[in-house]
Amino acid sequence: MARFDKLTENLARGIARGTSRRSLLAWLGAGMTGAASIPLLPVARAATPPAPEAPHGPHATGAARPAIVSGLEQDPGDRASCDYWRYCAIDGFLCSCCGGSVNTCPPGTEMSPITWIGTCTNPADGRAYVISYNDCCGVSSCGQCLCNRNEGDRPQVRPQSNNDYNWCLGSESSVYNCSVAAVIGVALAEPK
């Protein structure tokens, strides 16, 4: 009977140790930390089914499309082509093929206030520029000029440098339409 009493006493003391005020605070702290990590979880573009990937962004019908060039010597390239220098870290449909431009969303859509960034080299001057990629939201996918380039893409635990999120979650509608690539500045050289 003494063994049973000792076992019961140890069990009761263990429960008392695990249910103190400090223990309760520890559980609350762990719960708050877990809740704060929820935004780090990956988000899929659930609103849009994946489109068949076409080589370097022509229309889905395969019809020839006119080149959209800036005409500026310091900004060379076809803005409707996946090979355009600003699109080095883009993932999505190009707004320049969907009624918008490389910097602006098509009419009827809104630009998401949250963004991912990339660093692309301009072939005209050989300098690296910081590019802000914003999703345009509110209208279903335009389905033209799909471009998926992942140069410098980081894992999803670094969301500011990852292009696989649905960035429309920061706007009124989470429906994705297309993506823009705006130059926000010259990249600083890395220290050697």
Side-chain angles (χ1 to χ4, degrees), residues 47-83:
T48 59
E53 190 166 335
H56 292 287
H59 293 289
T61 60
R65 57 157 181 77
I68 302 172
V69 293
S70 67
L72 302 173
E73 189 176 306
Q74 65 271 20
D75 190 18
D78 179 2
R79 293 177 173 195
S81 170
C82 197
D83 293 329

Side-chain angles (χ1 to χ4, degrees), residues 5-16:
D5 287 342
K6 189 67 172 172
L7 179 65
T8 305
E9 179 186 352
N10 287 339
L11 183 61
R13 287 182 185 273
I15 291 172

Side-chain angles (χ1 to χ4, degrees), residues 23-118:
S23 176
L24 176 66
L25 290 174
W27 278 100
L28 286 175
M32 289 172 46
T33 302
S37 67
I38 288 176
L40 299 176
L41 296 174
V43 178
R45 292 184 194 261
T48 59
E53 190 166 335
H56 292 287
H59 293 289
T61 60
R65 57 157 181 77
I68 302 172
V69 293
S70 67
L72 302 173
E73 189 176 306
Q74 65 271 20
D75 190 18
D78 179 2
R79 293 177 173 195
S81 170
C82 197
D83 293 329
Y84 181 54
W85 71 273
R86 287 192 199 182
Y87 299 148
C88 72
I90 201 164
D91 181 8
F93 299 108
L94 305 178
C95 286
S96 53
C97 294
C98 301
S101 72
V102 72
N103 294 324
T104 60
C105 290
T109 63
E110 78 171 300
M111 188 176 291
S112 175
I114 52 177
T115 180
W116 75 97
I117 59 171

Side-chain angles (χ1 to χ4, degrees), residues 145-162:
C145 298
L146 177 64
C147 187
N148 184 11
R149 293 178 59 186
N150 296 311
E151 297 168 27
D153 192 25
R154 298 289 187 252
Q156 289 188 336
V157 296
R158 302 239 350 247
Q160 71 277 9
S161 300
N162 185 281

